[in-house]
Amino acid sequence: MDIRPRDTDSTWRRRAYSVIFESDTPAGRVFDIAVLVAIVLSVVAVMLESVQRINQQYGALLRAVEWFFTGLFLLEYIARLVVVRRPLTYAFSLLGIIDFMAIVPTLATLMLAGSRYLLVIRTLRLLRVFRIFKLGRFVGEGEFIVTALKASRFKILVFLTAVLTLVTVVGTLLYVVEGGRNGFTSIPKSIYWAVVTVTTVGYGDISPVTVLGQTLASILMILGYAIIAVPTGIVSAQMAGPRATAVPTYKQVICHVCQATDHRPEAEFCWHCGEKL
Amino acid sequence: MDIRPRDTDSTWRRRAYSVIFESDTPAGRVFDIAVLVAIVLSVVAVMLESVQRINQQYGALLRAVEWFFTGLFLLEYIARLVVVRRPLTYAFSLLGIIDFMAIVPTLATLMLAGSRYLLVIRTLRLLRVFRIFKLGRFVGEGEFIVTALKASRFKILVFLTAVLTLVTVVGTLLYVVEGGRNGFTSIPKSIYWAVVTVTTVGYGDISPVTVLGQTLASILMILGYAIIAVPTGIVSAQMAGPRATAVPTYKQVICHVCQATDHRPEAEFCWHCGEKL
Amino acid sequence: MDIRPRDTDSTWRRRAYSVIFESDTPAGRVFDIAVLVAIVLSVVAVMLESVQRINQQYGALLRAVEWFFTGLFLLEYIARLVVVRRPLTYAFSLLGIIDFMAIVPTLATLMLAGSRYLLVIRTLRLLRVFRIFKLGRFVGEGEFIVTALKASRFKILVFLTAVLTLVTVVGTLLYVVEGGRNGFTSIPKSIYWAVVTVTTVGYGDISPVTVLGQTLASILMILGYAIIAVPTGIVSAQMAGPRATAVPTYKQVICHVCQATDHRPEAEFCWHCGEKL
Amino acid sequence: MDIRPRDTDSTWRRRAYSVIFESDTPAGRVFDIAVLVAIVLSVVAVMLESVQRINQQYGALLRAVEWFFTGLFLLEYIARLVVVRRPLTYAFSLLGIIDFMAIVPTLATLMLAGSRYLLVIRTLRLLRVFRIFKLGRFVGEGEFIVTALKASRFKILVFLTAVLTLVTVVGTLLYVVEGGRNGFTSIPKSIYWAVVTVTTVGYGDISPVTVLGQTLASILMILGYAIIAVPTGIVSAQMAGPRATAVPTYKQVICHVCQATDHRPEAEFCWHCGEKL
């Protein structure tokens, strides 16, 4: 549902909406970037607070910063609610919920001590950075990636299902082969190991010790090493695709009789009506 | 050999076959998805049972679930045998054997205690998920991937042989260089290390300590890092290929006046002399 | 600003400039390669000195080598300053600063003992190796890579921002899930772990232990495994693109009789009317 | 130099040559595969002997097998020398030296006990497997990969030089940052760590502990994660390339005057001599 103010709304409201929600005016761009900077700063403050040594020394300051930004975000949230035509639609939209969740945890600490950890939700507001991408150059590029991924989504789903099946089967096998020892203490843990291996992450917190286990693991690794080619190939082909389609250039001429375009570069006559071009 | 019932068979049999073995009717689709859900649930039960803490608390329940699903799969297996025209052909087909193996381990525990671990074979039934992919959208996508991989199978085989030779040679070298210490206790183990390294998994359970060993390992890593480009390139080129080849399609027609070719697919008149094609 | 000597400058100066700064004369090429060899040798000397066992035995020799090369680089630096038209422009250019920084640390040790470690800056001079690439065959290839990367820079930036956001969100989640234990002692450290995981490096110095943590980590790994396809696809498509466009190069000539274009590069006669081009 | 027997040589010699050195006759193919099987078996014997437990039990048997194969390879080597026209040319060719080195170590153990470890050189004979690839289907595929890699060799060289410079600079930085502790005991060791990291292997035997070190490592990882796209893109583009190059098809006509080919599809006159086609 459309949350934009109606054309019949007061000027200041439409003005405020375009500043707060849109980014195609200078003021709107400044507002968006200011919000983004505030998000980054508040996230950095939360991060630093989690470091014990820094917390002991600058804890009070960081908590003050936290309250300052919470206040700021609260004001921003209220402004957003006031300005839109349908406050509830915004409030229950994904971005609306994230905006709300970014404020709640700090307020909640007044009643419940441990709830401050929920502040991590605020990092989700970082996702707003992608809205800024709507500015200028980034539109096309971001859309290009998203389009390529969307076009490949079924292929990627098939690929992921194949990987998950592989990981389940091999993980279970390793559980049996290693006999529940050497870290392979249960099937889910063994599947976790298989994921760590097939994705070539390889922590080494769990690794096979028996000869058969190491042999199976080697096969899994080489498989994982080779099948990375599949998603890469899918996305490469997808991304190379549109451009390839654009290659066959046509004569920049429109037939003056039938308006047909896309004539071959060397065409002297219209392919549609036979008229001299 | 064809296991489908003949046209002269009774209606209920052909009906049942289409429900149990095919997925192009609504009933067949429901059956397939029900079987898949049952497989996933039974696999999850087997997994949970392997977790000691859960086993101690809910062991009895999980074993009951296991017997329930085994009964279900037994019924399904019998139904499949009854419905097909050639029961033996089905029973000895790959899917038939997997279906059978999914039932046996639970029954076998009545006689032999340890055999329950063979239940892991049931995870192989998960492969049936790919049959579901035959439904709707996924056909083309799955086939696209399989076709690209099939077309590349010789290239991939050559690549894998090269990797295996590399891994054997470097693994043996490292065994000599590290002098059988630091985990490189035998040539097979050293080859295992080489596989872990060249695939960039890198557990770290075995890693070179001598200067020469680390130098050789570095070379192997950079090689492994670079040659991942080969399978990726093969599959990318394969996947991008058909589309690229298909792009400039022309009408398979030669102008009977000027012999010009390469007309646009929709052309009705020659682009060169304007004659009606 | 142009630092080349003017045409009115003395011959020896223009000569020296072409030897020291350019590489298209035999003398210039010899000079460049000599400088490169000196850089490699001096870097190797610094490296060997950092190995305690070698330092104890050959420390004096290595320090002598260091002073020798520092002298050489000092002479080279002075020569460069003398020869160019605008010494300050060169001195404050990137290469000029690097050239200067390669000399300073050794001289600084006369006053300050610890400053010798700054010698590592000398490794930056290795970047000069890319200047040598300007010779012959490498020009096109190096430029090809740089061009492809430049053309993809916005796409890569969008991709990197997405990865950084993902890493921040997942890292913070894991910090909360693992409860600050098992190495996840602070949010920045957890983000470091997320980077190690998503890039499939996987040291294993920090790895999740709780079931929820391992589940989230598995998802992150599979994501990291799949999204490597994105930059690869971007660069592949970019690299495959220009070549495809550039392939059909034609002679930049229009037939003065029939105005036909697109002649083969070696064409001497018009393909359309047979007139001499 | 040509080592094939002359046409004037005795028939048995030319026969034997074609069996031993070539693979286009049935007998030659059987011989090649027999040699390959013998190589694999002898390599497996060497491998098994390196496993202590197996060595203690079957050591005598394995050493007998080793002597048996050494005898076989000796006979084969002599046969090769006898059959070729220029024995010295063969003996000093790469394959000739490898063939010789596969025999020597076992014989050398009669005089020098430790030399048996040199048997690992025999694994190099495995490279002969690529000769078998000359048979049938594999020719084109193997050549396709080699051609693509050869065509990309300059680009790959530029890429490798960039990676090596990056690794040297970052490795040295980490040595300074971590202050020679936490495994970063010398610059070469730190460079080894940088290679392990940039290639996403990540053993974890050395990993940064300081905040600055972990930050730099994170940057290196993301760089390594992103630049894998470069070699992949190069090879993908190269492999997709030939197909692209094949696109601009030429007229299947040879000028009857100057024999020029590669005329444009629409050409009516020779591009080389202007003659009517």
Side-chain angles (χ1 to χ4, degrees):
Chain A
M1 266 185 299
D2 198 356
I3 59 171
R4 277 177 299 183
R6 253 169 297 227
D7 287 358
T8 53
D9 276 345
S10 56
T11 321
W12 75 263
R13 206 179 178 186
R14 277 185 286 141
R15 245 321 187 18
Y17 180 87
S18 95
V19 169
I20 297 178
F21 278 89
E22 288 170 359
S23 0
D24 40 11
T25 58
R29 220 164 298 168
V30 166
F31 182 84
D32 268 15
I33 290 170
V35 167
L36 203 75
V37 168
I39 295 172
V40 169
L41 287 179
S42 76
V43 166
V44 167
V46 173
M47 279 184 193
L48 291 179
E49 216 190 327
S50 77
V51 184
Q52 269 199 328
R53 209 147 28 96
I54 295 175
N55 197 1
Q56 278 161 9
Q57 240 179 319
Y58 305 100
L61 176 69
L62 287 169
R63 265 180 297 277
V65 168
E66 203 177 299
W67 276 102
F68 171 73
F69 280 116
T70 304
L72 228 63
F73 291 150
L74 185 60
L75 287 179
E76 184 212 343
Y77 185 67
I78 291 167
R80 283 181 192 268
L81 279 178
V82 166
V83 137
V84 297
R85 182 152 46 114
R86 300 171 192 273
L88 284 182
T89 306
Y90 161 70
F92 289 101
S93 70
L94 186 64
L95 279 180
I97 292 170
I98 291 178
D99 288 352
F100 180 68
M101 304 263 272
I103 313 160
V104 163
T106 321
L107 301 177
T109 49
L110 294 179
M111 284 154 280
L112 202 70
S115 67
R116 240 206 28 270
Y117 276 125
L118 294 168
L119 261 176
V120 297
I121 298 162
R122 191 172 283 172
T123 53
L124 284 176
R125 283 206 93 196
L126 272 179
L127 295 170
R128 260 183 193 284
V129 84
F130 290 106
R131 225 170 73 80
I132 306 299
F133 283 160
K134 293 218 187 95
L135 305 164
R137 262 301 318 232
F138 289 96
V139 191
E141 309 298 0
E143 264 169 28
F144 177 76
I145 294 176
V146 171
T147 306
L149 288 180
K150 257 191 194 158
S152 316
R153 70 181 176 289
F154 283 101
K155 285 194 204 70
I156 290 174
L157 219 71
V158 170
F159 170 73
L160 281 184
T161 316
V163 167
L164 286 181
T165 313
L166 177 70
V167 152
T168 310
V169 172
V170 175
T172 312
L173 270 176
L174 258 285
Y175 170 67
V176 176
V177 164
E178 296 279 319
R181 282 184 304 275
N182 312 322
F184 296 84
T185 48
S186 69
I187 294 181
K189 202 141 247 165
S190 302
I191 292 173
Y192 164 71
W193 164 84
V195 171
V196 170
T197 299
V198 89
T199 56
T200 78
V201 170
Y203 285 137
D205 51 350
I206 310 171
S207 61
V209 173
T210 63
V211 172
L212 187 54
Q214 293 187 338
T215 310
L216 282 169
S218 299
I219 294 168
L220 183 64
M221 282 170 218
I222 288 175
L223 266 173
Y225 184 59
I227 60 180
I228 183 71
V230 174
T232 307
I234 291 169
V235 177
S236 294
Q238 199 65 48
M239 286 184 169
R243 194 176 289 120
T245 320
V247 163
T249 43
Y250 294 115
K251 205 170 188 169
Q252 294 300 320
V253 149
I254 298 174
C255 174
H256 60 97
V257 172
C258 69
Q259 318 298 328
T261 54
D262 291 0
H263 303 282
R264 299 203 55 221
E266 315 88 351
E268 292 161 34
F269 296 90
C270 176
W271 57 267
H272 186 252
C273 66
E275 184 66 28
K276 185 110 181 74
L277 289 176
Chain B
M1 265 184 297
D2 198 356
I3 59 170
R4 278 178 299 181
R6 251 169 299 226
D7 287 358
T8 53
D9 277 346
S10 56
T11 320
W12 75 263
R13 207 182 178 183
R14 276 184 287 142
R15 243 330 187 11
Y17 180 87
S18 95
V19 168
I20 297 177
F21 278 89
E22 288 170 359
S23 1
D24 39 12
T25 58
R29 221 165 296 167
V30 166
F31 182 84
D32 269 17
I33 290 170
V35 166
L36 203 76
V37 169
I39 295 172
V40 169
L41 288 179
S42 75
V43 166
V44 167
V46 172
M47 280 183 191
L48 290 180
E49 216 190 327
S50 78
V51 184
Q52 269 198 329
R53 211 147 28 95
I54 295 176
N55 197 0
Q56 278 161 8
Q57 240 178 320
Y58 304 101
L61 176 70
L62 287 169
R63 265 180 297 277
V65 169
E66 202 177 301
W67 276 102
F68 171 73
F69 281 117
T70 304
L72 229 62
F73 291 152
L74 185 59
L75 286 180
E76 185 212 344
Y77 185 65
I78 291 169
R80 283 181 192 268
L81 279 178
V82 167
V83 136
V84 297
R85 183 155 40 118
R86 301 171 192 273
L88 285 180
T89 306
Y90 162 70
F92 288 101
S93 71
L94 186 64
L95 279 179
I97 291 169
I98 291 177
D99 288 352
F100 179 69
M101 306 262 272
I103 313 162
V104 163
T106 322
L107 300 178
T109 49
L110 294 179
M111 285 154 280
L112 202 71
S115 66
R116 241 206 28 270
Y117 276 126
L118 295 169
L119 261 176
V120 297
I121 299 162
R122 189 171 285 171
T123 54
L124 283 177
R125 284 205 93 195
L126 274 179
L127 295 171
R128 261 185 192 282
V129 84
F130 290 106
R131 225 170 73 81
I132 306 299
F133 282 161
K134 291 217 187 95
L135 304 166
R137 261 301 317 231
F138 290 97
V139 191
E141 309 299 359
E143 264 170 27
F144 177 77
I145 295 176
V146 171
T147 307
L149 288 181
K150 257 191 195 160
S152 316
R153 70 182 176 287
F154 283 100
K155 285 194 204 71
I156 290 174
L157 218 71
V158 170
F159 171 72
L160 281 184
T161 316
V163 167
L164 287 182
T165 313
L166 176 70
V167 153
T168 310
V169 171
V170 175
T172 313
L173 270 175
L174 257 285
Y175 170 68
V176 175
V177 164
E178 295 280 320
R181 281 184 305 274
N182 312 321
F184 296 83
T185 49
S186 68
I187 294 181
K189 201 140 248 167
S190 303
I191 291 173
Y192 163 73
W193 164 85
V195 171
V196 169
T197 299
V198 89
T199 57
T200 77
V201 170
Y203 285 136
D205 51 349
I206 310 170
S207 62
V209 173
T210 63
V211 172
L212 187 54
Q214 293 187 337
T215 310
L216 281 169
S218 298
I219 294 168
L220 183 64
M221 281 170 219
I222 288 174
L223 265 174
Y225 185 60
I227 61 180
I228 182 70
V230 174
T232 306
I234 291 169
V235 176
S236 294
Q238 198 64 47
M239 285 185 170
R243 192 176 290 118
T245 321
V247 163
T249 40
Y250 294 118
K251 205 172 191 167
Q252 294 300 321
V253 149
I254 299 174
C255 175
H256 59 98
V257 171
C258 70
Q259 317 299 330
T261 54
D262 291 1
H263 304 283
R264 299 203 56 221
E266 315 88 350
E268 292 160 34
F269 295 90
C270 175
W271 59 265
H272 186 250
C273 68
E275 186 64 31
K276 186 112 179 71
L277 288 176
Chain C
M1 263 185 298
D2 198 356
I3 61 171
R4 277 177 299 183
R6 251 169 296 227
D7 288 356
T8 53
D9 275 346
S10 57
T11 321
W12 75 263
R13 205 179 178 185
R14 276 185 287 142
R15 243 330 187 10
Y17 179 86
S18 95
V19 168
I20 297 177
F21 278 89
E22 288 170 359
S23 359
D24 40 11
T25 58
R29 219 164 299 166
V30 166
F31 182 84
D32 267 15
I33 290 169
V35 167
L36 202 75
V37 169
I39 294 172
V40 169
L41 287 179
S42 75
V43 166
V44 167
V46 173
M47 279 183 193
L48 291 180
E49 216 189 327
S50 77
V51 184
Q52 268 197 329
R53 210 148 28 97
I54 295 175
N55 197 1
Q56 277 160 9
Q57 239 179 320
Y58 305 100
L61 176 69
L62 288 168
R63 266 181 295 278
V65 169
E66 202 177 301
W67 276 101
F68 170 73
F69 281 116
T70 305
L72 228 61
F73 291 151
L74 185 60
L75 286 180
E76 184 212 341
Y77 186 67
I78 292 168
R80 283 181 192 268
L81 280 177
V82 167
V83 137
V84 297
R85 183 153 45 117
R86 298 170 193 275
L88 283 181
T89 305
Y90 161 70
F92 288 102
S93 70
L94 187 64
L95 280 179
I97 291 170
I98 292 178
D99 288 351
F100 179 68
M101 304 262 272
I103 313 162
V104 162
T106 321
L107 301 177
T109 49
L110 294 179
M111 282 154 282
L112 202 69
S115 66
R116 238 204 34 266
Y117 276 125
L118 294 169
L119 260 176
V120 298
I121 298 162
R122 191 171 285 172
T123 54
L124 284 176
R125 283 205 92 195
L126 273 178
L127 295 170
R128 258 182 194 283
V129 83
F130 290 106
R131 226 169 72 82
I132 305 299
F133 283 159
K134 291 217 188 97
L135 304 166
R137 262 301 317 234
F138 289 98
V139 191
E141 309 298 359
E143 263 169 27
F144 177 76
I145 294 176
V146 171
T147 306
L149 288 180
K150 256 190 196 160
S152 315
R153 69 182 177 288
F154 282 101
K155 285 194 203 71
I156 289 173
L157 219 70
V158 170
F159 170 74
L160 281 184
T161 317
V163 167
L164 286 181
T165 314
L166 177 71
V167 152
T168 310
V169 171
V170 175
T172 313
L173 270 176
L174 257 284
Y175 169 69
V176 175
V177 164
E178 296 280 319
R181 281 183 304 274
N182 312 321
F184 296 84
T185 48
S186 69
I187 294 181
K189 203 141 246 168
S190 302
I191 291 173
Y192 163 72
W193 165 85
V195 171
V196 169
T197 299
V198 89
T199 57
T200 78
V201 169
Y203 285 137
D205 51 350
I206 309 171
S207 62
V209 173
T210 63
V211 172
L212 187 55
Q214 293 187 338
T215 309
L216 282 169
S218 298
I219 294 168
L220 183 64
M221 282 170 218
I222 288 176
L223 266 173
Y225 184 58
I227 60 181
I228 183 71
V230 174
T232 306
I234 291 168
V235 176
S236 294
Q238 199 63 49
M239 284 185 170
R243 190 177 291 117
T245 323
V247 162
T249 40
Y250 294 117
K251 204 169 190 170
Q252 295 299 322
V253 148
I254 299 174
C255 175
H256 60 96
V257 171
C258 69
Q259 316 300 328
T261 54
D262 290 0
H263 303 282
R264 301 202 55 222
E266 317 87 349
E268 292 161 35
F269 295 90
C270 176
W271 58 268
H272 187 253
C273 67
E275 185 65 29
K276 186 111 180 72
L277 289 176
Chain D
M1 265 184 296
D2 198 356
I3 60 170
R4 277 179 298 182
R6 251 170 297 225
D7 287 357
T8 53
D9 276 346
S10 55
T11 321
W12 74 264
R13 205 179 179 185
R14 276 185 287 142
R15 245 325 189 13
Y17 180 87
S18 95
V19 169
I20 298 178
F21 277 90
E22 289 170 358
S23 2
D24 39 12
T25 58
R29 221 166 296 167
V30 166
F31 183 84
D32 268 16
I33 291 171
V35 166
L36 202 75
V37 169
I39 295 172
V40 169
L41 288 179
S42 76
V43 165
V44 167
V46 172
M47 280 184 193
L48 290 180
E49 216 190 326
S50 77
V51 184
Q52 268 198 329
R53 211 147 28 95
I54 295 175
N55 197 1
Q56 277 161 9
Q57 240 179 318
Y58 306 100
L61 177 70
L62 288 169
R63 265 180 297 278
V65 168
E66 202 177 300
W67 277 102
F68 170 72
F69 281 115
T70 305
L72 228 63
F73 292 151
L74 185 60
L75 286 179
E76 184 211 343
Y77 185 66
I78 291 168
R80 283 180 191 270
L81 280 178
V82 167
V83 137
V84 298
R85 182 151 46 116
R86 301 172 192 273
L88 284 181
T89 306
Y90 162 70
F92 288 102
S93 71
L94 187 64
L95 279 179
I97 292 170
I98 291 177
D99 288 351
F100 180 68
M101 304 263 271
I103 313 161
V104 162
T106 321
L107 301 177
T109 49
L110 294 179
M111 284 154 281
L112 203 69
S115 67
R116 239 205 30 268
Y117 277 126
L118 294 169
L119 261 176
V120 298
I121 299 162
R122 191 172 286 172
T123 55
L124 283 177
R125 282 206 92 196
L126 273 179
L127 294 171
R128 258 183 196 282
V129 84
F130 291 106
R131 226 170 71 82
I132 305 298
F133 283 159
K134 291 214 187 99
L135 304 165
R137 264 294 325 229
F138 290 97
V139 191
E141 309 298 359
E143 263 169 28
F144 177 77
I145 295 176
V146 171
T147 307
L149 289 180
K150 255 191 196 161
S152 316
R153 68 183 179 287
F154 282 101
K155 285 195 204 71
I156 290 174
L157 219 71
V158 170
F159 171 72
L160 282 184
T161 316
V163 168
L164 287 182
T165 313
L166 177 70
V167 152
T168 310
V169 171
V170 175
T172 313
L173 270 176
L174 257 284
Y175 170 69
V176 176
V177 164
E178 296 279 320
R181 281 184 305 274
N182 312 321
F184 297 84
T185 48
S186 69
I187 294 181
K189 202 140 246 166
S190 303
I191 291 173
Y192 163 73
W193 165 85
V195 171
V196 169
T197 298
V198 90
T199 58
T200 78
V201 171
Y203 284 136
D205 52 350
I206 309 171
S207 62
V209 174
T210 62
V211 172
L212 186 54
Q214 293 188 337
T215 309
L216 282 169
S218 298
I219 294 168
L220 183 63
M221 281 170 220
I222 288 174
L223 265 173
Y225 185 58
I227 60 180
I228 183 71
V230 174
T232 306
I234 292 169
V235 176
S236 293
Q238 199 63 48
M239 286 185 169
R243 198 175 285 121
T245 321
V247 163
T249 43
Y250 295 116
K251 207 171 190 168
Q252 293 300 320
V253 150
I254 299 174
C255 174
H256 60 99
V257 171
C258 70
Q259 317 298 330
T261 54
D262 292 0
H263 303 283
R264 297 203 58 221
E266 313 87 351
E268 293 160 34
F269 296 90
C270 175
W271 58 265
H272 187 251
C273 68
E275 185 65 30
K276 186 110 180 73
L277 289 177

